[in-house]
């Protein structure tokens, strides 16, 4: 079905074929993602996955399309040239040097982006994809529970992150979905405060943002706690974010637009007087990539549909004081939103 949809696009654009080299898209269309990559060629009548010789056996076992191997670049380009790819569909991430090589050694004369059709396919998750994301979220919940137990005065941020990543791998994750964020004290005001050597101090806000990669699919969640007893200002910020996050999840229903979710979240935070301190979008799609479509932002008109998976992650960041973010991975269903990350949100 996935390749058939791509073939329909090829036919509509009168292309000779499409070339896929990105790891996530290789897996999406072929079921295989060799470490050193490969070249998936889809034509109006056929599909062929060409891989380096040392990746051949694994690709042959996992790929849903026929696989051939190459030993040298010369052999690869000869195989591609034999397919007569004069008008070629490509991914937007294809490098300029690759385009030049395809012109010079394969004879491609014209390129067309296939990003639109790939995005339209990948934005709606199929049942097996949803199951993988659910499993990744379960692992993330286990890691978060370990982190909540680990956070205490004197612990280094990096030590908390290490414990989380250990729990992820021991429970089936391939690796963390991204560099684990553990940001304490004033560093909690940094939205991307990757875990460092700072020791957590009593009274610190601690933002923990993590996710697991499981069978090629990602999860993403954030919780914020205080190492000790929160003061009144910390409580005020926390409950502003919590109310906004709950509102955003509630809004994430079929028929709503991504920008409507963002707007609802932003309105709550503004009512608390912190509108200027919410400095990023409300969320993003999650799947084979940790950030994919839709963008849950003020500019995204995408209509939410069943099968989409997004994050809802408002935050308030006060430089020199600290920050709060609360995030869940959310599945859009016909009945409404379902939080796939389930760790308690009311932690203060």
């Amino acid at each position: 079905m996935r390749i058939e949809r791509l073939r329909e696009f090829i036919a509509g654009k009168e292309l000779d074929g499409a070339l896929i080299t990105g790891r996530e898209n290789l897996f999406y269309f072929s079921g295989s993602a060799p470490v050193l990559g490969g070249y998936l060629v889809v034509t109006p009548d056929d599909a062929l996955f060409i891989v380096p010789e040392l990746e051949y056996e694994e690709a042959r076992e996992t790929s849903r399309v026929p696989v051939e191997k190459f030993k040298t670049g010369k052999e690869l380009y000869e195989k591609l040239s034999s397919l007569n790819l004069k008008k070629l569909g490509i991914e937007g991430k294809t490098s300029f040097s690759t385009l030049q090589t395809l012109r010079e050694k394969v004879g491609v004369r014209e390129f067309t982006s296939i990003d639109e059709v790939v995005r339209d396919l990948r934005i709606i998750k199929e049942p097996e994809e949803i199951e993988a994301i659910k499993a990744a979220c379960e692992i993330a919940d286990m890691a978060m529970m370990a982190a909540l137990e680990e956070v205490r005065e004197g612990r280094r941020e990096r030590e908390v992150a290490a414990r989380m990543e250990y729990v992820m791998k021991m429970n089936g994750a391939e690796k963390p979905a991204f560099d684990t964020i553990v940001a304490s004290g004033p560093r909690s005001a940094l939205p991307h405060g990757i875990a460092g050597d700072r020791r957590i101090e009593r009274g610190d806000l601690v933002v923990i943002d993590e996710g697991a990669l499981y069978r090629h699919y990602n999860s993403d969640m954030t919780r914020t706690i205080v190492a000790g007893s929160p003061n009144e200002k910390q409580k005020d910020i926390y409950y502003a974010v919590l109310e906004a996050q709950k509102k955003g999840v509630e809004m994430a229903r079929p028929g709503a637009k991504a920008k409507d979710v963002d707007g609802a979240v932003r309105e709550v935070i503004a009512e608390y007087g912190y509108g200027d301190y919410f400095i990023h979008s409300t969320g993003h799609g999650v799947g084979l990539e940790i950030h994919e479509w839709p963008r849950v932002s003020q500019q995204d008109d995408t209509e939410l549909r069943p099968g989409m998976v997004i994050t809802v992650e408002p935050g308030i960041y006060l430089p020199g004081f600290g920050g709060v973010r609360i995030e869940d991975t959310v599945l859009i269903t016909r009945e409404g939103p379902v939080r796939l990350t389930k760790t308690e949100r009311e932690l203060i």
Side-chain angles (χ1 to χ4, degrees):
M1 177 62 180
R2 298 171 183 178
I3 287 182
E4 286 306 315
R5 283 284 304 277
L6 187 54
R7 283 202 179 105
E8 290 173 10
F9 178 85
I10 291 169
K13 296 290 185 179
E14 299 182 340
L15 303 177
D16 298 314
L19 177 65
I20 294 168
T21 58
R23 182 173 174 81
E24 294 82 11
N25 286 337
L26 284 176
F27 179 79
Y28 185 77
F29 286 102
S30 76
S32 181
V35 173
L36 293 183
Y39 300 78
L40 176 62
V41 184
V42 179
T43 67
D45 304 310
D46 207 354
L48 179 63
F49 193 21
I50 310 172
V51 300
E53 185 176 29
L54 77 168
E55 302 285 3
Y56 177 70
E57 290 302 325
E58 181 175 357
R60 189 170 60 86
E61 290 179 6
T62 57
S63 177
R64 294 188 294 264
V65 300
V67 180
E68 291 186 6
K69 60 186 175 183
F70 65 90
K71 293 184 179 180
T72 65
K74 181 175 182 293
E75 186 177 350
L76 167 65
Y77 300 131
E78 286 175 350
K79 287 180 181 291
L80 292 174
S81 296
S82 70
L83 299 173
N84 196 32
L85 303 170
K86 304 303 180 186
K87 297 172 67 175
L88 184 65
I90 57 165
E91 300 154 296
K93 294 181 180 179
T94 307
S95 69
F96 179 75
S97 61
T98 298
L99 298 182
Q100 288 295 92
T101 300
L102 290 170
R103 287 185 190 278
E104 295 169 5
K105 298 188 176 182
V106 181
V108 180
R109 294 197 297 262
E110 183 180 325
F111 296 101
T112 298
S113 171
I114 62 171
D115 285 356
E116 182 178 350
V117 65
V118 172
R119 182 189 68 193
D120 289 348
L121 283 167
R122 282 180 48 185
I123 202 170
I124 303 294
K125 273 56 180 180
E126 297 174 4
E128 64 270 23
E129 295 181 283
I130 292 171
E131 289 306 309
I133 295 170
K134 284 181 177 179
C137 288
E138 289 174 4
I139 295 170
D141 276 320
M142 294 178 199
M144 185 61 74
M145 293 305 297
L148 298 180
E149 293 174 359
E150 194 75 14
V151 169
R152 63 178 71 97
E153 184 179 6
R155 272 283 189 267
R156 292 187 188 276
E157 295 169 349
R158 200 183 303 279
E159 291 171 337
V160 177
R163 174 64 178 165
M164 296 166 69
E165 292 170 12
Y166 172 82
V167 169
M168 287 182 202
K169 288 197 172 185
M170 289 301 291
N171 284 282
E174 298 164 37
K175 62 180 180 179
F178 49 88
D179 289 335
T180 301
I181 293 172
V182 180
S184 61
R187 292 190 73 250
S188 63
L190 304 175
H192 290 153
I194 294 169
D197 287 327
R198 185 182 187 277
R199 291 189 184 275
I200 296 169
E201 299 178 5
R202 180 173 295 278
D204 277 353
L205 284 163
V206 184
V207 173
I208 305 166
D209 187 347
E210 51 94 7
L213 182 70
Y214 177 78
R215 295 186 178 178
H216 299 276
Y217 285 87
N218 292 280
S219 58
D220 196 358
M221 69 180 302
T222 307
R223 295 293 184 267
T224 303
I225 63 173
V226 172
S229 300
N231 60 40
E232 291 305 311
K233 188 170 183 178
Q234 289 173 334
K235 289 181 182 178
D236 189 52
I237 296 169
Y238 189 90
Y239 285 113
V241 174
L242 180 60
E243 183 179 332
Q245 204 264 353
K246 288 182 175 180
K247 183 65 175 180
V249 172
E250 179 188 335
M251 284 286 296
R253 296 177 174 275
K257 291 186 176 180
K259 70 178 184 181
D260 296 336
V261 177
D262 181 272
V265 167
R266 218 165 279 283
E267 183 177 349
V268 173
I269 290 178
E271 288 173 355
Y272 275 84
Y274 295 107
D276 291 339
Y277 300 97
F278 179 22
I279 55 177
H280 54 71
S281 62
T282 291
H284 53 84
V286 179
L288 287 168
E289 295 173 89
I290 193 63
H291 293 98
E292 55 183 53
W293 291 96
R295 310 299 189 198
V296 187
S297 71
Q298 298 173 74
Q299 291 78 36
D300 195 337
D301 283 321
T302 301
E303 182 178 304
L304 300 183
R305 291 176 286 161
M308 290 184 179
V309 178
I310 64 171
T311 65
V312 178
E313 51 178 303
I316 294 173
Y317 310 93
L318 304 182
F321 178 81
V324 173
R325 181 165 68 253
I326 302 171
E327 172 189 23
D328 284 304
T329 300
V330 178
L331 170 66
I332 313 301
T333 75
R334 288 183 176 84
E335 291 73 33
V338 176
R339 287 196 306 130
L340 301 183
T341 41
K342 304 179 186 298
T343 300
E344 175 61 54
R345 292 177 288 183
E346 300 194 26
L347 296 172
I348 289 181

